[in-house]
Amino acid sequence: MIKKYFLLLLFFSSVSVYSQNVKITGFVYNENREPLEYVLITHVGTSYGAISEIRGHYELNISSRQDSLEFLFSLIGYKKKQIKFPIAPGIIELDSVFLENDDRSLSEIAIEAESKVTTTIERVDYLAVKRPANPWGSLESLLATMGGVSSTNELSSQYSVRGGNFDENIVYVNGIEIYRPQLVRSAQQEGLSFINPNMIKSVGFSAGGFSAEYGDKMSSVLDITYKRPERFEGSASASFLGGDVYVGSSTDRFSQVTGVRYKTTRSLLNTTDTKAEYDPSFIDLQTYITYNFSPKWEVSLLGNYSHNIFEFTPTSRETTFGSLLSPKSFLVVFDGWEKDKFLTYQGALTLKGKITDKLTLGISGSAFSSDEQERYDIQGRYSLEEAILTDDNSKANSTVIGIGSYHEHARNKLESKVYNISHFGDFEIENHLLKWGISIQGEKVEDRIKEWEMRDSAGYSLPSTGTEVNMYSNLKSTNKINSMRFSGYLQDTYTFDSDAGIFILNVGVRGSYWQFNEELIFSPRGGLAFVPKGRQNLSFRISGGVYYQTPFYKELQYITQSNGNNVVVLNDQIKSQRSIHVILGNDFYFKINRENNKPFKLSTEVYYKALSDLNPYTVNNVKIRYAGENTAKGYATGIDMKLYGEFIPGVDSWISMSFMKTGQKTDDVTVPLPTDQRFNFALFFQDYLPGYDRIKMNLRGLWSQGLPVSAPYKSYETGYFRTPSYKRVDIGFSWQILGEDFAIRNNNSFCKAFKNIWLGVDLFNVFDMQNVNTYYWVTDVHNLQYAVPNYLTERQINFKLSVDF
C-alpha cells in the first residue's frame, strides 16, 4: 500500500514539475490603434480564455506542459489573428496585437454592440460590403430595429427617435453634416438615402445625451465614417428595385471608394390602392478620395450627386375601410399628372495633419446645393359608399353617402445653398483627450410656392358660404433668406482608474449664433461611464445636457391671411426649441450556455426630456408643417431595452423594446406629440441552413403603436385619434453559388474574376398587413367628415443578384 501511494505521489509530482504556470498579458487594438474591447483570446486546443476590457487589456492564467503557446484573437467584424511563441515561466507580456477589419464576416449585415457603451455615442459596426440576405439595402432600415428608434413607412428612410421628428436627427459622413431636400411631402418622392452602405467603415449612433462635438439637434446623432480600402475591391447587385455598383482601390498614398446606385419603387407602388402609371427614378453617385502628402498629412474629398425624379399619372383608386358591421368603400377616377424633380449636390474638402503624436489639427470646407421642383395638376371624381348588410352579415347593395370632385394644383420650387468652413482639432495629455472646433456657415434659401385645392361635393364648393366659390386650401410663398451662422465647441474626455473601477468622464459646451434671428445659445453637455473593477460584464452610464433645435428654414414659415389667401411669411423672432436630456444606462453581459463563448448583451436606458420653446407641428406622410411660433412646452420619457447576441451560433440577432410617453402643452391643453408611440417592438434575426451555411436568412419585424392624427388644417388640441398599429415582417433568403474557397474558381477563368456570387429572394410584408400612412378626408354637403385611410404597400416579392470582385 505504501508503495502505491509513493508511486501516485511521484506521478503527480512529475506532472506538476513538467507543467508550467504562466500569466499572459497584453493589449489588442484595431488598425487605427484604438483599443478593442471584448476581444476573445483563447488558448488553442484548450478551454483557457479571456476577454479584453475597455482599454484593450487582457490577462490570462494558464498551466501548460507544451514548449510553445498558441493563441487566437477573434472579434466579429475583424479578421482572426493567431500568434505562437515559446513558453517561459512567470509573466509573459506580449507585443500589442492589431486586428484588421473583416468585411467578409459570417454576419454580412450587423449592427453590433460588441463593446460596452462607455461614451455618449455608441460605436456601431455595420458590415455592409456583402449583404446577400438583406431585403432592405439601407442603414436606416436596421436603425429602425434599435431601441428608441421608430419607422412607420417602409417607403421612407426617415425615422423618429424618442418622440422627436425627422428634422431633429443629425447625420454626419466623415465629419460633414448631411442635408436633405425641404419640399419632399411624400415617401414616394424621397428616393435614396444619402448613406451608401457599400462605402461604410463604421457607424456611431446616439439616441440622446450626445457630446458637444455634435451639432444642435434635439433627438439623435448618426455618425458615419466611409472606409479606405487596403486593396482593390468591388461589388455589384441588381434586382427588381434597382441596382448598385461599387469600386474601391488604394496605393501607398492614394485611396478611393466610389459608388453608383439606382432605385425604382414602381413594383412596390403598384401594390397600393391607387392604380397609376408610376415612373420613379432615383440615381445617386458618391465618391470618397484620400491622398497622403506625408505620413502625417492627408487631404480627403467627399462628393455626392443625387438626381431624383418622380412622375405619376393616376387612373383610379378603390379603398375599402370601416368596421365589419359598417364597411365603406371609396372610389375615385383620376385625370391629371404629377412631375417632381429633386437635384442635390454636396462636396467637402478636408485637410488634416498630425502636428505631434498628441496634437491633430484640421480644416474643412463644404458646400451643399439643392434644386427642388414639385408640379402637379390632378382632378378626381369620387363616391363614398356604405354597404348594406343582410341578416347573415353578408354584403348586399351599397348606398352612396357622398359624391364629389376635387382638383389639386401646385407649382412649387425651392433652391437652397449652404457653405461651411470649419477648423477642428484634438490634443491628448495624460488621461485627457481635448477636442474643439469652430465653424462659419452661410445659408441661402429661396422659394416660390403656389398650391391650392378645390373640392366640390354634390354641387357645392367646400367650404361653402352659399354665395361664392372658395378654395378648400391654398398656400402662397415668395421668400428668401441669406444669413450667416457661427458655432463652436470645446470638450474633454477624461479616463481614470480607481479602486472601484474605470471611469470615463466627458464634459463640454457648444455655442451658436444665428444672424437671422440674432440668437445666441449655449449648450452644456456631459456624461459619465463606469465599469466596476472585477465585473467586466457590467457597465453604467449617465449623460445629459441642454440641447437646442436651431431653425433652418421650414421652422420659420408662419402662415397669415391676405385677401383670402394663406400667405407664408418668415418669422425673424423665432427661437431655437430646447430640450434638457437626462439619461441613465446599463449594459449587462451574460452567457446562456457554456458551449457558446460569446455572451449575450442586455442594454437598458431610461430617459427624460424636458421640452420648452416648442414650435408645434403636424406630420402628413413625411411632410412636417410648423406653426412658425414658439408657443408650447412638453416632455418625453421612457425606457429602451435591447437584447443582443448569437441566438444562432455564428450570427448575431437582437430584440428591442421601447415604452414612451410624451406630452405637449399649448394654451393649457396637453396632447401627445405627433410622434408619440407608447410601445415599439422590433426584431432582427439571422440564420443559416444547418450544415450548409451557403444558404442564409434575415428577418426583420416591427410592431408599434399608431401615431396621433388630427383633421386637416387643425391642430391636435382640437381633437385627435390614432392610426392603427404599424405591423410588418420582411424576410430575405440568399444562396451563395460561388465563393472564394470554391474549387471551380481555380479551373474556370470566368469564375476566377469573382470572389462571391449570391442569388437572393426577398418577401416584403410577409403577412400582407394593411398599414395606414395618412388619411384622405372627405366632406359631404352636411359638413360631415370621413377619414379614408391611405394604405401602404402590400405583400411583394423581389429577386436579386449580387457579386463581389
Side-chain angles (χ1 to χ4, degrees):
M1 181 65 68
I2 296 176
K3 183 178 181 180
K4 290 182 180 180
Y5 283 123
F6 176 76
L7 290 175
L8 287 173
L9 180 62
L10 182 63
F11 171 76
F12 285 114
S13 298
S14 63
V15 170
S16 63
V17 170
Y18 187 68
S19 299
Q20 300 186 61
N21 295 319
V22 181
K23 182 178 182 180
I24 311 296
T25 67
F27 292 86
V28 58
Y29 302 93
N30 63 14
E31 297 168 288
N32 298 324
R33 301 191 67 86
E34 297 170 339
L36 285 178
E37 182 186 10
Y38 234 77
V39 176
L40 180 62
I41 303 101
T42 56
H43 183 202
V44 178
T46 73
S47 60
Y48 292 112
I51 296 175
S52 62
E53 42 98 302
I54 187 172
R55 296 171 300 177
H57 183 259
Y58 61 90
E59 291 184 359
L60 181 61
N61 294 300
I62 66 170
S63 178
S64 176
R65 294 182 293 167
Q66 301 173 354
D67 295 329
S68 61
L69 299 176
E70 194 170 359
F71 287 89
L72 180 66
F73 294 77
S74 60
L75 176 64
I76 288 183
Y78 293 87
K79 295 179 181 179
K80 295 180 180 180
K81 190 165 188 176
Q82 201 160 327
I83 62 173
K84 189 175 182 179
F85 53 90
I87 193 171
I91 299 176
I92 300 178
E93 294 185 5
L94 296 181
D95 294 335
S96 297
V97 175
F98 295 89
L99 299 186
E100 300 178 3
N101 285 324
D102 182 12
D103 294 327
R104 297 173 298 168
S105 169
L106 180 61
S107 178
E108 288 82 3
I109 307 172
I111 289 185
E112 300 182 45
E114 281 294 321
S115 58
K116 299 180 183 65
V117 182
T118 51
T119 59
T120 55
I121 189 165
E122 180 179 0
R123 304 314 303 179
V124 175
D125 290 329
Y126 179 68
L127 307 180
V129 172
K130 290 171 53 179
R131 298 170 290 119
N134 176 20
W136 317 282
S138 71
L139 172 64
E140 292 86 351
S141 64
L142 291 185
L143 284 180
T145 64
M146 300 187 70
V149 183
S150 174
S151 174
T152 57
N153 190 332
E154 61 270 13
L155 294 173
S156 173
S157 61
Q158 303 303 321
Y159 54 92
S160 61
V161 179
R162 292 178 176 172
N165 65 39
F166 312 141
D167 293 336
E168 296 175 18
N169 306 314
I170 193 167
V171 178
Y172 291 95
V173 172
N174 288 84
I176 306 301
E177 183 176 353
I178 303 304
Y179 295 89
R180 62 188 184 95
Q182 300 283 302
L183 273 186
V184 174
R185 61 184 171 86
S186 72
Q188 300 175 1
Q189 306 168 321
E190 193 173 287
L192 288 155
S193 161
F194 182 94
I195 303 164
N196 188 329
N198 293 314
M199 300 168 63
I200 292 176
K201 175 188 176 182
S202 65
V203 178
F205 180 75
S206 174
F210 41 89
S211 58
E213 63 183 299
Y214 298 107
D216 293 307
K217 297 288 185 178
M218 291 202 303
S219 288
S220 75
V221 168
L222 182 61
D223 189 3
I224 309 294
T225 301
Y226 279 174
K227 61 185 175 182
R228 304 178 186 181
E230 297 181 354
R231 59 188 70 87
F232 177 81
E233 60 185 34
S235 66
S237 69
S239 75
F240 290 163
L241 298 178
D244 60 72
V245 177
Y246 158 78
V247 175
S249 62
S250 67
T251 62
D252 292 340
R253 293 191 174 187
F254 173 83
S255 72
Q256 67 83 26
V257 287
T258 301
V260 180
R261 294 178 293 164
Y262 169 74
K263 177 182 177 181
T264 177
T265 55
R266 184 184 291 110
S267 62
L268 286 175
L269 295 174
N270 282 330
T271 67
T272 61
D273 289 344
T274 301
K275 305 308 175 186
E277 294 182 12
Y278 293 98
D279 189 14
S281 178
F282 311 119
I283 300 174
D284 175 88
L285 169 64
Q286 287 189 49
T287 186
Y288 177 59
I289 301 171
T290 62
Y291 181 76
N292 295 325
F293 290 105
S294 68
K296 292 187 176 182
W297 285 91
E298 68 173 28
V299 63
S300 62
L301 173 67
L302 175 67
N304 170 259
Y305 168 71
S306 178
H307 183 275
N308 296 331
I309 302 293
F310 178 77
E311 296 185 357
F312 169 59
T313 306
T315 56
S316 64
R317 167 181 174 172
E318 182 176 359
T319 300
T320 57
F321 65 102
S323 65
L324 181 64
L325 298 179
S326 180
K328 294 180 176 62
S329 179
F330 181 63
L331 300 96
V332 188
V333 177
F334 294 104
D335 181 23
W337 52 269
E338 178 176 350
K339 295 181 180 179
D340 307 319
K341 181 172 68 172
F342 302 92
L343 304 180
T344 61
Y345 313 81
Q346 187 154 4
L349 187 66
T350 302
L351 175 66
K352 184 169 67 174
K354 208 163 182 61
I355 308 303
T356 67
D357 291 338
K358 303 290 186 180
L359 176 63
T360 300
L361 298 177
I363 187 171
S364 68
S366 64
F368 167 81
S369 175
S370 73
D371 182 3
E372 308 171 33
Q373 298 179 30
E374 183 184 45
R375 301 183 302 149
Y376 55 82
D377 261 305
I378 298 177
Q379 300 179 54
R381 296 180 298 278
Y382 67 84
S383 67
L384 182 65
E385 301 176 356
E386 184 173 30
I388 299 176
L389 301 180
T390 61
D391 293 337
D392 59 354
N393 288 334
S394 61
K395 183 177 178 181
N397 296 326
S398 297
T399 300
V400 176
I401 58 177
I403 60 173
S405 64
Y406 64 88
H407 186 177
E408 297 177 343
H409 168 94
R411 297 293 186 271
N412 299 334
K413 183 177 177 61
L414 184 144
E415 296 178 350
S416 60
K417 293 178 173 60
V418 180
Y419 306 97
N420 182 287
I421 184 168
S422 302
H423 160 69
F424 58 90
D426 61 72
F427 180 64
E428 295 182 50
I429 176 171
E430 295 182 350
N431 292 335
H432 294 266
L433 176 60
L434 294 173
K435 285 188 176 182
W436 65 87
I438 56 174
S439 176
I440 302 174
Q441 181 166 294
E443 301 165 354
K444 296 181 179 180
V445 183
E446 182 176 356
D447 72 0
R448 292 181 294 279
I449 306 297
K450 184 180 180 181
E451 61 183 54
W452 51 262
E453 179 181 0
M454 187 274 290
R455 293 193 185 183
D456 178 85
S457 179
Y460 291 87
S461 176
L462 297 175
S464 174
T465 62
T467 58
E468 59 183 31
V469 176
N470 295 319
M471 290 296 167
Y472 183 74
S473 67
N474 67 83
L475 190 66
K476 292 183 65 176
S477 175
T478 305
N479 291 297
K480 60 181 178 180
I481 181 176
N482 189 350
S483 63
M484 298 294 295
R485 195 187 301 264
F486 307 89
S487 62
Y489 71 89
L490 174 66
Q491 74 174 39
D492 177 31
T493 302
Y494 175 49
T495 304
F496 59 96
D497 292 341
S498 73
D499 294 336
I502 300 172
F503 291 87
I504 300 177
L505 176 65
N506 177 282
V507 292
V509 63
R510 186 176 188 89
S512 176
Y513 174 78
W514 194 27
Q515 187 184 51
F516 179 79
N517 62 356
E518 299 181 347
E519 182 185 32
L520 177 65
I521 58 175
F522 289 97
S523 175
R525 308 173 188 179
L528 177 65
F530 170 61
V531 180
K533 184 160 290 187
R535 294 296 304 273
Q536 293 297 316
N537 64 330
L538 276 176
S539 68
F540 303 90
R541 59 191 176 276
I542 180 172
S543 62
V546 180
Y547 297 82
Y548 289 92
Q549 179 78 16
T550 56
F552 181 69
Y553 187 72
K554 290 190 296 184
E555 296 90 337
L556 311 176
Q557 297 177 330
Y558 177 74
I559 299 177
T560 62
Q561 292 284 330
S562 176
N563 298 323
N565 293 316
N566 292 323
V567 179
V568 174
V569 296
L570 302 183
N571 180 8
D572 60 2
Q573 300 300 311
I574 198 76
K575 299 300 180 184
S576 298
Q577 302 176 82
R578 187 175 69 173
S579 175
I580 299 176
H581 293 195
V582 178
I583 299 170
L584 299 174
N586 164 253
D587 294 326
F588 174 60
Y589 294 82
F590 62 95
K591 291 186 178 182
I592 294 180
N593 59 70
R594 295 182 179 180
E595 296 179 1
N596 189 355
N597 286 322
K598 184 178 177 181
F600 284 79
K601 174 184 175 181
L602 177 63
S603 295
T604 305
E605 284 195 343
V606 180
Y607 62 90
Y608 180 83
K609 300 195 291 187
L611 311 174
S612 59
D613 292 329
L614 291 181
N615 188 348
Y617 63 90
T618 57
V619 181
N620 186 9
N621 204 309
V622 296
K623 180 73 172 182
I624 298 176
R625 174 69 69 186
Y626 290 92
E629 295 181 299
N630 303 104
T631 59
K633 61 181 180 179
Y635 69 91
T637 184
I639 181 171
D640 300 328
M641 294 170 287
K642 178 182 174 183
L643 177 62
Y644 173 94
E646 291 185 0
F647 296 91
I648 302 297
V651 289
D652 297 300
S653 304
W654 57 87
I655 302 171
S656 65
M657 184 176 293
S658 300
F659 300 95
M660 177 181 68
K661 183 179 181 181
T662 70
Q664 176 179 275
K665 187 175 183 179
T666 306
D667 297 329
D668 295 326
V669 178
T670 301
V671 295
L673 288 169
T675 53
D676 178 82
Q677 290 176 304
R678 298 297 171 88
F679 69 87
N680 190 10
F681 174 84
L683 165 70
F684 180 75
F685 184 77
Q686 298 186 95
D687 199 358
Y688 55 87
L689 193 65
Y692 192 75
D693 61 8
R694 289 166 54 191
I695 296 181
K696 303 181 186 297
M697 181 275 290
N698 282 341
L699 181 145
R700 186 190 73 155
L702 301 175
W703 178 34
S704 56
Q705 187 186 27
L707 297 170
V709 176
S710 65
Y713 312 107
K714 301 290 185 180
S715 65
Y716 294 100
E717 287 77 15
T718 61
Y720 70 92
F721 64 97
R722 289 184 181 271
T723 63
S725 297
Y726 183 84
K727 302 178 289 290
R728 184 178 175 92
V729 175
D730 301 317
I731 191 169
F733 296 93
S734 63
W735 176 37
Q736 186 182 24
I737 61 176
L738 180 69
E740 289 186 87
D741 56 348
F742 284 33
I744 192 174
R745 291 188 71 248
N746 300 322
N747 304 322
N748 187 297
S749 58
F750 175 78
C751 294
K752 200 171 184 178
F754 302 97
K755 294 180 180 178
N756 300 283
I757 298 179
W758 294 85
L759 288 177
V761 58
D762 308 322
L763 189 58
F764 300 105
N765 198 0
V766 175
F767 300 108
D768 204 20
M769 300 287 190
Q770 277 194 319
N771 292 306
V772 176
N773 180 22
T774 55
Y775 290 89
Y776 185 82
W777 292 78
V778 178
T779 307
D780 63 16
V781 70
H782 302 293
N783 209 29
L784 295 176
Q785 289 187 315
Y786 299 87
V788 181
N790 295 317
Y791 292 116
L792 288 165
T793 59
E794 299 176 356
R795 184 189 293 118
Q796 176 72 13
I797 192 170
N798 179 49
F799 296 94
K800 65 181 178 182
L801 172 68
S802 303
V803 299
D804 299 329
F805 50 84

